[in-house]
Amino acid sequence: MELFLSQGFDETTVAQIAEAAQVSQMTFFRHFPTKDSVVFDDPYDPVIAGLVAAQDSALPAMERVRRGLLAAWSAMPGPADSAVRDKIGLIAGHPRLAAGIWENNRRTEDLLVKALVGTGVARLEARVAAGSCLGGVTAALLDWAAEPDGQDLRERMGAALALMGAPGDPCGPGGTVRRAR
Amino acid sequence: MELFLSQGFDETTVAQIAEAAQVSQMTFFRHFPTKDSVVFDDPYDPVIAGLVAAQDSALPAMERVRRGLLAAWSAMPGPADSAVRDKIGLIAGHPRLAAGIWENNRRTEDLLVKALVGTGVARLEARVAAGSCLGGVTAALLDWAAEPDGQDLRERMGAALALMGAPGDPCGPGGTVRRAR
DNA sequence: GGCCAAAATGTTAGTCTCTAACATTTAGGC
DNA sequence: GCCTAAATGTTAGAGACTAACATTTTGGCC
């Protein structure tokens, strides 16, 4: 990460990484399947899926995912914002890496869909809800990283999820429930 | 595409592609920046952005994007479903290619954001709305390609966008408007 | 038809990521 | 102190992509 941040991702070869780590190239690839994978490490998926599954099953799928993500972001310890911003900034500035975020999201999406379908939600509805919510938070995340000023990350995520709860958050606490299953 | 579909993407080298096209490797790379790029060609972005911009600016951003996408999918001529399904299926079955869809979506997202911000929507709201809606339709698209049975694509997209209009489509024609700008 | 500039294509050599096969070292249990 | 297993190293190579330079093809113009 130091090398990536100082000279850029493409300008850093794995030979350099290996040398900096006092290790052979081969060893590098035994620890990281690809050079890209150095940048990605999100062990939060199971937590998120659990929190989504824990939401009131009477709510529409979209709302359950939304609230689950909200709960997840509130609960996360997370490293210092500046480190995260550096990393996300690096990713956001590099199309191929940015696409890689979605390779992660796809896994998260699959977990969420499984959790939802397990509690009686239709498959398409589950996919759309998961995909839509993840799309929203990811857009907000990339937008956050692009800003130099720097609002608090958790606040930002809360704001984004609130926006998706529009219009007027009719499904807020005690709000309308479309249909029970 | 023939080679990809018959032998798989990774199993097809650009040397083979070049040979099949009676052309040198170098020439291949002059027409396609990467091997991956052969699979992606979506010239629909400007249309979508235009239709989103055309929606009633009194509606919340999320709803405008949703309706714009709906209009876009209804208006599209689009090639035969089977060809599209083959292509999307190829992409969906290959994590790196699937991630590539998002490299496209990012461009679309940027266009949508520009269109929305141009009509007075706050940046974060625009980003979240665009990201969320694109996330939903993309999830539905990949889900559609995974199914062998085969519902009509346009129908499927309509269904997905309707799901995102939840709960109860309170912003449906004549519905509640949260705030005007 | 013949000429000429510009565009498209080819050739070669090289860099970089990543893999396979095999040799070597290191670590930990008995 | 030995012996197995894990971790690491070495070498060779495939495959995507690039740079530099030579060659052909194309299309307008006289």
Side-chain angles (χ1 to χ4, degrees):
Chain A
M1 285 303 301
E2 276 170 34
L3 289 172
F4 289 162
L5 289 173
S6 66
Q7 357 170 339
F9 184 82
D10 286 333
E11 289 68 35
T12 305
T13 72
V14 329
Q16 290 176 316
I17 301 174
E19 192 190 347
Q22 312 237 37
V23 131
S24 77
Q25 269 198 39
M26 192 69 254
T27 299
F28 169 86
F29 280 115
R30 277 198 264 252
H31 287 267
F32 298 91
T34 67
K35 179 178 153 188
D36 298 27
S37 70
V38 173
V39 184
F40 299 105
D41 57 334
D42 283 330
Y44 302 127
D45 285 8
V47 182
I48 297 176
L51 284 169
V52 167
Q55 301 300 311
D56 182 355
S57 65
L59 293 170
M62 182 84 187
E63 189 59 18
R64 289 174 66 187
V65 176
R66 204 179 68 79
R67 294 191 188 182
L69 286 176
L70 206 50
W73 273 103
S74 319
M76 285 202 185
D81 272 16
S82 71
V84 177
R85 193 186 300 264
D86 279 352
K87 185 186 269 195
I88 307 277
L90 179 71
I91 295 175
H94 192 296
R96 207 185 74 234
L97 286 180
I101 284 198
W102 293 102
E103 225 164 316
N104 263 22
N105 274 5
R106 190 90 165 105
R107 274 200 301 279
T108 311
E109 190 187 308
D110 288 343
L111 275 179
L112 292 185
V113 167
K114 197 171 296 182
L116 288 170
V117 168
T119 57
V121 178
R123 203 189 72 246
L124 177 61
E125 188 175 1
R127 277 243 165 259
V128 171
S132 171
C133 286
L134 287 174
V137 299
T138 302
L141 188 70
L142 292 176
D143 184 73
W144 172 81
E147 265 181 304
D149 62 340
Q151 180 186 12
D152 178 64
L153 175 57
R154 248 180 302 263
E155 253 177 58
R156 165 63 67 98
M157 287 299 129
L161 284 162
L163 282 170
M164 280 185 277
D169 210 23
C171 270
T176 315
V177 169
R178 186 162 49 130
R179 61 180 174 289
R181 286 171 181 274
Chain B
M1 285 304 300
E2 277 170 34
L3 290 172
F4 289 163
L5 289 174
S6 66
Q7 1 170 338
F9 184 83
D10 286 334
E11 289 67 36
T12 304
T13 71
V14 329
Q16 290 176 318
I17 300 175
E19 192 192 346
Q22 311 237 38
V23 133
S24 77
Q25 270 197 40
M26 192 69 252
T27 299
F28 170 86
F29 281 114
R30 277 198 265 251
H31 286 268
F32 298 91
T34 66
K35 178 177 151 188
D36 298 28
S37 70
V38 172
V39 184
F40 299 105
D41 58 335
D42 282 330
Y44 303 127
D45 285 9
V47 183
I48 297 176
L51 285 169
V52 166
Q55 301 300 310
D56 181 356
S57 65
L59 293 170
M62 181 84 186
E63 188 59 17
R64 290 174 65 188
V65 176
R66 203 178 69 77
R67 293 191 188 181
L69 287 176
L70 205 50
W73 272 102
S74 321
M76 284 204 186
D81 272 15
S82 70
V84 177
R85 194 187 298 264
D86 279 352
K87 184 185 267 195
I88 309 277
L90 179 71
I91 296 175
H94 192 295
R96 206 185 75 235
L97 287 180
I101 284 196
W102 292 102
E103 227 163 315
N104 262 24
N105 274 4
R106 190 88 166 106
R107 275 200 300 279
T108 311
E109 189 187 309
D110 288 342
L111 275 179
L112 292 186
V113 167
K114 196 171 296 178
L116 287 170
V117 168
T119 58
V121 178
R123 203 190 71 247
L124 177 61
E125 187 175 0
R127 278 241 165 261
V128 171
S132 171
C133 285
L134 288 174
V137 298
T138 303
L141 189 69
L142 292 175
D143 184 73
W144 172 79
E147 265 182 304
D149 62 340
Q151 183 187 9
D152 178 64
L153 176 56
R154 249 179 302 259
E155 255 177 56
R156 166 62 69 98
M157 287 299 129
L161 285 162
L163 282 170
M164 278 184 279
D169 211 22
C171 269
T176 315
V177 169
R178 187 159 52 128
R179 60 181 174 290
R181 285 168 181 279

